Amino acid sequence: GKKYLPKDVIYRKKQPFTFPIHHIMAETKSVREYVFDTAFSQDSIVRDYFDVEQIQQFRTSEMDEKASSLLWALLVLREWHDANVKPTQE
């Protein structure tokens, strides 16, 4: 490795692998639409805890990293909830 790579690459601190969600959501309209439509669907738990109308403003605004991280977290919350919380029996 030392023969082929610069020292700063070989000896740098370890870095986490980060999923490029911001780039994907900012550049791919279909992914952004999927996230909004799924996270904020009528049966989503997200509606019980968050101001959906305020967050929906991100749909038409320019997506920054903070917004894309928030939206991804809400999607994951919804998916986790649907997979792990049993529906109440009525």
Side-chain angles (χ1 to χ4, degrees):
K2 291 179 185 179
K3 196 161 125 179
Y4 302 103
L5 297 171
K7 281 184 181 182
D8 60 328
V9 171
I10 294 172
Y11 297 108
R12 72 179 177 201
K13 288 178 76 175
K14 288 186 177 184
Q15 298 175 338
F17 173 77
T18 55
F19 188 67
I21 192 60
H22 170 66
H23 175 72
I24 293 168
M25 287 181 60
E27 301 296 323
T28 312
K29 184 178 179 183
S30 61
V31 171
R32 188 191 294 199
E33 292 299 315
Y34 170 79
V35 170
F36 274 102
D37 293 345
T38 305
F40 302 115
S41 65
Q42 291 301 319
D43 62 340
S44 176
I45 189 170
V46 171
R47 291 183 168 277
D48 295 341
Y49 296 98
F50 298 93
D51 183 350
V52 174
E53 285 70 33
Q54 185 175 2
I55 298 170
Q56 286 277 15
Q57 292 176 8
F58 291 130
R59 187 184 288 257
T60 56
S61 65
E62 190 167 321
M63 183 70 55
D64 64 13
E65 287 188 42
K66 203 171 190 179
S68 58
S69 294
L70 170 67
L71 292 169
W72 188 254
L74 293 174
L75 176 66
V76 170
L77 170 65
R78 189 259 159 83
E79 294 294 337
W80 173 87
H81 179 267
D82 289 357
N84 293 288
V85 178
K86 293 180 182 175
T88 57
Q89 303 223 345
E90 295 179 21

